[in-house]
Amino acid sequence: MKKGKKLYEGKAKILYASPEKNLAIQHFKDDATAFNNQKKAIIEGKGILNNRISEHIFSNLNQIGIKNHLIKRINMREQLVKIVEIIPIEFVIRNIATGSLTKRLGIEEGTVLDYPLIEYCLKNDDLGDPLVSREHILSFNWMNVMELELINEQCKRINDFLQGMFRGVGIKLVDFKIEFGRSSQDNNIILADEISPDTCRLWDSTTEKKLDKDIFRKDLGNLLEGYQEVARRLNILHEQSNIRPIKFPKPKAVKIKKK
Ligand code: TMP
Ligand code: ASP
């Protein structure tokens, strides 16, 4: 499919115009960033894995009635998606305390939360995506009360579904971030952006080994190996790709070439 002009470039993805009305091409880059772009690297193959994992999750969510922007994956790095007007709030759903929650409130790392906790962050890199309250959202008209209720419900359903999906393959869904947008085509709010190991915290259920972007944030090892393990467990690592092959499940026998 022929790409049109660049509509938007973010830290991990680029959105291009597509030949089809109201649709865009979402391209997954290999760029990894953390701490609001202060730490950066290019990790060859990351975009391919995130494209595939996000496609898998969004198409599964679609099957349980969570409307989202995905039309179809086009190639290894790109998906055809509905154009939406992104709501400027990042929705963070937490099942286990870690990351900024532990730092901000002194909650002990690893505390299993009694109920999933939904946090709202304003999507503004210059301000460092600050935490905002429900009252801020309503007061500044980022959403109306009906929209906020609808999204809260969706966040809970998405969390329930993803927790079950990951638990089934021996992974704890610790927390994740999602974004929603207004779709003129659907006349509704739909899930957008991506759900991948870049935007989730995923721990091995037994060892609590990190399989997500914390590997990069905290220099815990080979990021690609973690993402490949997630894809392998979800049974979606079949395709030919130019990612360096890592054999599973015998990690001891594997030698990863350092560049
Ligand atoms: P936090 O503990 O750093 O606030 O992160 C919570 C979750 O949100 C975690 O799964 C990582 C994800 N996240 C993003 O996807 N993008 C971001 O910019 C940030 C800060 C977190
Ligand atoms: N996504 C943010 C960044 O690119 C923060 C993070 O994921 O840690 O800096």
Side-chain angles (χ1 to χ4, degrees):
M1 182 174 291
K2 203 170 171 293
K3 282 205 285 274
K5 68 170 184 180
K6 196 191 280 187
L7 302 175
Y8 173 81
E9 178 157 8
K11 288 183 286 236
K13 298 185 293 301
I14 306 175
L15 214 56
Y16 294 98
S18 87
E20 298 190 41
K21 196 171 170 259
N22 294 330
L23 301 184
I25 294 171
Q26 175 164 265
H27 175 104
F28 287 76
K29 301 194 278 186
D30 283 338
D31 302 47
T33 68
F35 314 116
N36 205 6
N37 225 359
Q38 286 175 49
K39 182 170 178 175
K40 292 185 205 180
I42 293 182
I43 297 170
E44 206 185 309
K46 179 179 82 81
I48 296 173
L49 284 159
N50 280 350
N51 184 22
R52 186 69 188 92
I53 295 169
S54 197
E55 177 212 11
H56 178 76
I57 292 176
F58 274 63
S59 46
N60 274 281
L61 287 172
N62 189 42
Q63 284 169 23
I64 60 151
I66 305 283
K67 292 202 168 59
N68 62 66
H69 74 163
L70 180 72
I71 303 289
K72 62 173 182 185
R73 187 166 60 85
I74 311 168
N75 58 45
M76 300 234 292
R77 284 196 181 271
E78 290 165 339
Q79 323 182 322
L80 190 63
V81 297
K82 290 180 184 171
I83 294 180
V84 297
E85 184 205 333
I86 286 284
I87 292 171
I89 298 293
E90 297 191 345
F91 297 83
V92 173
I93 298 95
R94 301 180 185 270
N95 299 306
I96 299 177
T98 188
S100 68
L101 178 68
T102 53
K103 291 198 194 84
R104 211 183 318 119
L105 302 179
I107 310 290
E108 193 183 338
E109 169 81 18
T111 306
V112 178
L113 305 176
D114 290 345
Y115 298 98
L117 174 69
I118 304 179
E119 292 181 334
Y120 314 111
C121 297
L122 181 64
K123 214 174 135 53
N124 184 324
D125 281 346
D126 294 341
L127 300 175
D129 296 345
L131 192 71
V132 294
S133 70
R134 172 190 165 86
E135 282 66 33
H136 287 111
I137 292 176
L138 300 177
S139 174
F140 297 114
N141 281 318
W142 292 320
M143 268 171 279
N144 66 38
V145 75
M146 296 272 285
E147 292 173 332
L148 187 53
E149 291 311 317
L150 178 108
I151 292 184
N152 280 338
E153 281 310 308
Q154 297 235 327
C155 286
K156 287 183 207 154
R157 282 193 68 205
I158 294 167
N159 184 49
D160 282 349
F161 177 79
L162 292 184
Q163 251 193 328
M165 185 188 86
F166 281 118
R167 191 183 293 130
V169 296
I171 292 174
K172 286 186 198 175
L173 176 64
V174 174
D175 57 30
F176 62 102
K177 182 268 303 178
I178 45 181
E179 297 183 23
F180 292 83
R182 293 190 178 85
S183 158
S184 52
Q185 219 179 334
D186 293 61
N187 198 18
N188 211 342
I189 288 182
I190 59 173
L191 177 68
D193 192 52
E194 71 176 289
I195 302 180
S196 73
D198 264 13
T199 60
C200 301
R201 285 202 176 91
L202 303 169
W203 297 354
D204 178 89
S205 298
T206 317
T207 63
E208 302 213 327
K209 186 177 170 192
K210 315 294 183 263
L211 302 171
D212 58 72
K213 200 163 94 173
D214 269 356
I215 301 172
F216 170 71
R217 292 190 189 97
K218 299 179 173 177
D219 296 319
L220 300 177
N222 186 319
L223 179 102
L224 214 59
E225 195 179 317
Y227 286 32
Q228 278 184 313
E229 178 65 9
V230 173
R232 187 192 68 79
R233 291 197 196 182
L234 293 174
N235 207 17
I236 53 174
L237 198 65
H238 308 302
E239 296 170 19
Q240 283 279 313
S241 76
N242 57 6
I243 303 167
R244 277 171 293 157
I246 296 172
K247 284 184 191 152
F248 289 101
K250 289 183 182 165
K252 274 186 198 151
V254 171
K255 281 189 183 153
I256 301 159
K257 265 197 227 157
K258 285 227 168 85
K259 277 196 180 168

